[in-house]
Amino acid sequence: MTISSTNRRVGPFIGHNVLAQYTGIPDLAKHDRMRWCLLCGACAMKKTDLIIFGCGKVADILMDAITGEPNPGFVPAGFCVDAAHYAQAQYNGLPVVKAEEVAQHFPPGRYKMLVAIGYHQMNAVRAARVADMRARGYTLVSYVHPAAFVAASATIGENCIILDNVSIGAHAELGDNVCLYPGATVAHHAKVGDNTWVTAGTTIGGSTVIGKNGFLGLNSTIGHNISIGNDNFIGAGAVLTRSTRDKEVHIIPDTPKHRLDTDQFLKLFRFD
């Protein structure tokens, strides 16, 4: 992966393409929101010991992404979960500890944290765990997959997960605790509020503002230059071209079942 002299201007971001500290490119250090890249292979001399909050599907996805890189900047050291959900001493070959005791095992002065749990209760559970880990003294970092595109002028907050083939356009802004799944697009000058979950294939148009605590379903499309309120649930395949208020739900019906069964359909249309 190539190191560029372009400043990504991210928040507490562990991503690629922005490492003045290790590349010696002085221009990268000028922006006050700059954080050092610890992800790309070229800066493998400096790695971050990482604790992942969660032992579920999101944690699995994050682990696969990190360990699938040839020179990952993160070194996963362990997992933590709420005591009420503690069920095993190891997960993915690493130790699991109770969140209430995590600082005793993995002190925040040495380890960083990434909360990798889902969108339960419209992301409120994940937001609460982020707040708890901050209160315990942890720095919350963000993960950006090396196959994602992040424009030089885009900004990314804390505890974000940006997966492969995501595109974040010029001057776009992501708040804290935002998850973008594969193939999502956040176009130029768009803003995505804190604690928002954006599923695979979603498109957010230019200059659009997405409120906090939202859920955007698979392949949903949010038009250009509109505002989506807080706590909106946007279902799979939905298309919005007008602004919404807080706590709105937008879903579309399923595709209707055809009157023919599979055998009849293939015979009629000669697909067999």
Side-chain angles (χ1 to χ4, degrees):
M1 186 177 300
T2 303
I3 293 291
S4 166
S5 62
T6 303
N7 182 358
R8 282 184 185 272
R9 304 200 319 175
V10 289
F13 168 54
I14 294 197
H16 53 286
N17 209 20
V18 286
L19 189 65
Q21 185 176 2
Y22 302 114
T23 61
I25 303 171
D27 290 343
L28 290 180
K30 291 181 179 178
H31 198 284
D32 60 2
R33 296 194 66 182
M34 182 63 202
R35 299 295 185 272
W36 309 124
C37 164
L38 299 174
L39 178 62
C40 67
C43 44
M45 78 255 329
K46 177 71 173 181
K47 294 179 181 288
T48 294
D49 293 322
L50 180 69
I51 305 303
I52 298 172
F53 191 115
C55 287
K57 296 176 182 177
V58 181
D60 285 346
I61 291 168
L62 181 62
M63 276 291 290
D64 271 12
I66 293 172
T67 58
E69 295 182 31
N71 292 293
F74 285 122
V75 179
F79 296 87
C80 68
V81 295
D82 293 329
H85 300 291
Y86 182 83
Q88 53 194 344
Q90 283 200 334
Y91 190 72
N92 281 328
L94 296 175
V96 180
V97 302
K98 298 174 183 177
E100 294 81 354
E101 303 170 357
V102 62
Q104 301 172 27
H105 300 276
F106 302 105
R110 175 180 172 185
Y111 296 89
K112 303 296 191 295
M113 178 74 67
L114 205 164
V115 179
I117 58 178
Y119 45 84
H120 313 287
Q121 300 177 21
M122 291 296 287
N123 305 287
V125 174
R126 193 173 73 260
R129 299 307 177 270
V130 167
D132 182 35
M133 291 301 107
R134 280 191 184 123
R136 294 177 187 275
Y138 284 98
T139 297
L140 278 296
V141 296
S142 290
Y143 173 79
V144 176
H145 195 283
F149 169 77
V150 182
S153 54
T155 60
I156 297 173
E158 297 179 342
N159 206 77
C160 293
I161 298 175
I162 315 299
L163 294 178
D164 52 298
N165 299 313
V166 165
S167 177
I168 302 174
H171 297 281
E173 299 178 18
L174 303 188
D176 294 340
N177 199 27
V178 173
C179 294
L180 298 181
Y181 265 44
T185 296
V186 180
H188 64 91
H189 297 89
K191 298 180 180 180
V192 181
D194 296 346
N195 314 317
T196 295
W197 193 278
V198 181
T199 58
T202 295
T203 298
I204 298 170
S207 301
T208 280
V209 177
I210 307 295
K212 297 179 180 180
N213 313 316
F215 176 87
L216 280 62
L218 293 167
N219 291 309
S220 56
T221 299
I222 314 299
H224 172 78
N225 199 27
I226 62 175
S227 295
I228 303 300
N230 298 325
D231 302 288
N232 270 218
F233 184 98
I234 312 300
V239 177
L240 275 68
T241 60
R242 297 182 181 181
S243 296
T244 71
R245 294 175 294 213
D246 292 349
K247 294 186 177 294
E248 289 191 4
V249 175
H250 293 263
I251 58 176
I252 62 173
D254 286 350
T255 301
K257 181 180 76 71
H258 198 277
R259 61 183 177 82
L260 301 178
D261 66 20
T262 306
D263 294 336
Q264 293 168 334
F265 182 82
L266 293 177
K267 183 177 180 180
L268 179 62
F269 291 98
R270 301 176 185 270
F271 286 164
D272 56 349

